Protein backbone atom coordinates (compact mmCIF):
# COMPACT_ATOMS: atom_id res chain seq x y z
CA UNK A 1 0.00 0.00 0.00
CA UNK A 2 1.67 3.19 -1.21
CA UNK A 3 0.94 5.45 1.77
CA UNK A 4 1.65 2.87 4.47
CA UNK A 5 4.68 3.57 6.68
CA UNK A 6 5.46 -0.09 7.33
CA UNK A 7 5.08 -1.01 3.63
CA UNK A 8 7.70 1.67 2.93
CA UNK A 9 10.03 0.23 5.59
CA UNK A 10 9.54 -3.29 4.17
CA UNK A 11 10.31 -1.96 0.67
CA UNK A 12 13.47 -0.24 1.95
CA UNK A 13 12.17 3.22 1.07
CA UNK A 14 12.42 4.21 4.75
CA UNK A 15 15.21 2.72 6.87
CA UNK A 16 14.34 0.01 9.36
CA UNK A 17 16.61 -1.57 11.94
CA UNK A 18 16.22 -5.14 10.71
CA UNK A 19 16.05 -8.00 13.21
CA UNK A 20 14.61 -10.78 11.03
CA UNK A 21 13.43 -11.27 7.47
CA UNK A 22 12.09 -14.06 5.31
CA UNK A 23 9.73 -14.20 2.33
CA UNK A 24 6.61 -13.51 4.42
CA UNK A 25 7.73 -11.59 7.50
CA UNK A 26 9.87 -8.57 8.30
CA UNK A 27 10.86 -7.57 11.82
CA UNK A 28 12.60 -4.40 12.98
CA UNK A 29 13.30 -2.46 16.15
CA UNK A 30 10.64 -0.06 17.37
CA UNK A 31 11.81 3.53 16.99
CA UNK A 32 10.43 4.35 20.47
CA UNK A 33 11.23 1.23 22.50
CA UNK A 34 9.14 0.48 25.59
CA UNK A 35 11.49 -2.26 26.80
CA UNK A 36 15.14 -3.25 26.25
CA UNK A 37 13.90 -5.62 23.53
CA UNK A 38 11.08 -4.09 21.47
CA UNK A 39 10.70 -5.58 18.02
CA UNK A 40 7.84 -5.07 15.57
CA UNK A 41 6.98 -8.27 13.67
CA UNK A 42 4.99 -7.56 10.52
CA UNK A 43 3.70 -9.47 7.50
CA UNK A 44 5.23 -8.27 4.23
CA UNK A 45 1.78 -8.41 2.65
CA UNK A 46 -0.26 -5.39 3.68
CA UNK A 47 -3.17 -6.06 5.99
CA UNK A 48 -4.61 -3.45 8.31
CA UNK A 49 -4.72 -5.53 11.47
CA UNK A 50 -5.46 -8.96 12.91
CA UNK A 51 -9.01 -8.85 11.52
CA UNK A 52 -7.58 -9.31 8.02
CA UNK A 53 -4.97 -11.93 8.93
CA UNK A 54 -5.17 -15.36 7.25
CA UNK A 55 -4.00 -18.64 8.75
CA UNK A 56 -0.87 -18.88 6.59
CA UNK A 57 0.28 -15.40 7.67
CA UNK A 58 -0.53 -16.13 11.31
CA UNK A 59 1.64 -19.25 11.13
CA UNK A 60 4.50 -17.30 9.54
CA UNK A 61 4.28 -14.61 12.23
CA UNK A 62 4.28 -17.24 14.98
CA UNK A 63 7.33 -18.93 13.50
CA UNK A 64 9.12 -15.57 13.26
CA UNK A 65 8.26 -14.70 16.88
CA UNK A 66 9.78 -17.97 18.04
CA UNK A 67 12.99 -17.35 16.11
CA UNK A 68 13.26 -13.70 17.20
CA UNK A 69 12.62 -14.53 20.87
CA UNK A 70 15.53 -16.97 20.68
CA UNK A 71 17.87 -14.63 18.79
CA UNK A 72 17.06 -11.69 21.11
CA UNK A 73 17.75 -13.87 24.16
CA UNK A 74 14.28 -13.62 25.74
CA UNK A 75 12.87 -17.07 25.01
CA UNK A 76 13.86 -18.35 28.47
CA UNK A 77 13.16 -15.21 30.52
CA UNK A 78 9.87 -14.47 28.80
CA UNK A 79 8.38 -11.66 26.80
CA UNK A 80 5.09 -10.01 25.87
CA UNK A 81 3.27 -9.93 22.55
CA UNK A 82 0.82 -7.10 21.82
CA UNK A 83 -1.08 -6.33 18.64
CA UNK A 84 -3.09 -3.13 18.93
CA UNK A 85 -6.20 -3.15 16.78
CA UNK A 86 -8.29 -0.19 15.75
CA UNK A 87 -9.25 3.00 17.56
CA UNK A 88 -9.92 1.69 21.05
CA UNK A 89 -6.85 -0.52 20.77
CA UNK A 90 -4.75 2.61 20.11
CA UNK A 91 -3.39 1.27 16.83
CA UNK A 92 -1.38 4.13 15.28
CA UNK A 93 0.02 2.36 12.19
CA UNK A 94 -2.58 0.56 10.08
CA UNK A 95 -0.38 -2.34 9.00
CA UNK A 96 -0.68 -5.46 11.16
CA UNK A 97 2.22 -5.64 13.61
CA UNK A 98 3.04 -7.60 16.71
CA UNK A 99 5.04 -5.83 19.40
CA UNK A 100 7.53 -8.30 20.93
CA UNK A 101 8.77 -6.78 24.19
CA UNK A 102 11.10 -8.17 26.81
CA UNK A 103 14.49 -7.91 28.41
CA UNK A 104 13.06 -6.69 31.74
CA UNK A 105 10.24 -7.54 34.14
CA UNK A 106 7.19 -6.03 32.46
CA UNK A 107 4.31 -4.54 34.49
CA UNK A 108 1.41 -6.90 35.21
CA UNK A 109 -1.17 -4.28 34.27
CA UNK A 110 -1.73 -3.94 30.52
CA UNK A 111 -4.70 -1.64 30.04
P1 LIG B 1 0.86 0.90 17.34
O1 LIG B 1 0.65 2.12 18.19
O2 LIG B 1 0.51 -0.38 18.03
O3 LIG B 1 0.22 1.03 15.99
O4 LIG B 1 2.44 0.79 17.14
C1 LIG B 1 3.14 1.49 16.17
C2 LIG B 1 4.58 1.46 16.58
O5 LIG B 1 5.36 1.84 15.47
C3 LIG B 1 4.93 2.42 17.73
O6 LIG B 1 5.42 1.67 18.84
C4 LIG B 1 5.99 3.33 17.12
O7 LIG B 1 6.99 3.66 18.04
C5 LIG B 1 6.51 2.49 15.96
N1 LIG B 1 7.08 3.24 14.87
C6 LIG B 1 6.56 4.33 14.23
N2 LIG B 1 7.36 4.72 13.25
C7 LIG B 1 8.43 3.86 13.22
C8 LIG B 1 9.59 3.74 12.43
N3 LIG B 1 9.85 4.58 11.42
N4 LIG B 1 10.47 2.74 12.71
C9 LIG B 1 10.21 1.89 13.73
N5 LIG B 1 9.12 1.95 14.51
C10 LIG B 1 8.24 2.92 14.26
Amino acid sequence: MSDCLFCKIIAGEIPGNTVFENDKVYAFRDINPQAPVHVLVVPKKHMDNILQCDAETAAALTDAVQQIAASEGVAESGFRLVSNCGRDGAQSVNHLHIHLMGGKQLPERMG
Side-chain angles (χ1 to χ4, degrees), residues 5-6 9 28-32 38 40 84 90-93 97 99:
L5 172 63
F6 287 176
I9 292 175
F28 54 105
R29 299 201 187 280
D30 195 293
I31 204 167
N32 183 25
H38 189 166
L40 299 174
N84 296 326
Q91 182 179 6
S92 64
V93 178
H97 51 284
H99 297 258

Side-chain angles (χ1 to χ4, degrees), residues 37-94:
V37 173
H38 189 166
V39 175
L40 299 174
V41 188
V42 310
K44 286 189 169 176
K45 185 170 116 186
H46 182 92
M47 48 194 80
D48 288 348
N49 55 46
I50 195 76
L51 296 173
Q52 297 178 350
C53 189
D54 55 90
E56 186 184 13
T57 302
L61 291 168
T62 301
D63 184 65
V65 162
Q66 291 169 356
Q67 293 189 55
I68 294 162
S71 64
E72 292 293 312
V74 297
E76 299 250 328
S77 53
F79 54 92
R80 177 170 293 161
L81 302 178
V82 172
S83 189
N84 296 326
C85 181
R87 184 197 60 211
D88 283 1
Q91 182 179 6
S92 64
V93 178
N94 288 324

